[in-house]
Amino acid sequence: MLTGQQVFIVEMVLVFGLILAWAVWELVSTRRSQKRDREQSAERARHAEGQHGADEGRSQTPQ
């Protein structure tokens, strides 16, 4: 059977472990979103410079 002190230690390990796991998850999530934002910004910059695909960016022919 666990004593009161052992239960306290187990509870503290669980609490701080969950807090640490949440903090790491938030850090990873923030870095992913920043990377995605940088890639989208770079794509917009390339698009603005006129680097289009085969049919992208061309005006349609008059009908």
Side-chain angles (χ1 to χ4, degrees):
M1 197 74 175
L2 295 174
T3 65
Q5 187 176 10
Q6 290 172 330
V7 171
F8 176 76
I9 291 172
V10 169
E11 287 178 354
M12 288 298 106
V13 167
L14 290 174
V15 168
F16 287 116
L18 288 173
I19 291 172
L20 180 62
W22 174 78
V24 169
W25 177 260
E26 286 297 318
L27 179 64
V28 169
S29 175
T30 301
R31 288 185 177 179
R32 283 181 184 165
S33 67
Q34 287 176 345
K35 182 180 178 185
R36 188 174 331 131
D37 290 344
R38 280 193 307 268
E39 288 173 353
Q40 287 176 350
S41 177
E43 183 64 31
R44 282 192 302 269
R46 282 192 299 272
H47 186 73
E49 292 173 3
Q51 296 181 359
H52 303 286
D55 293 325
E56 294 176 13
R58 296 183 185 169
S59 62
Q60 293 185 0
T61 57
Q63 296 177 358

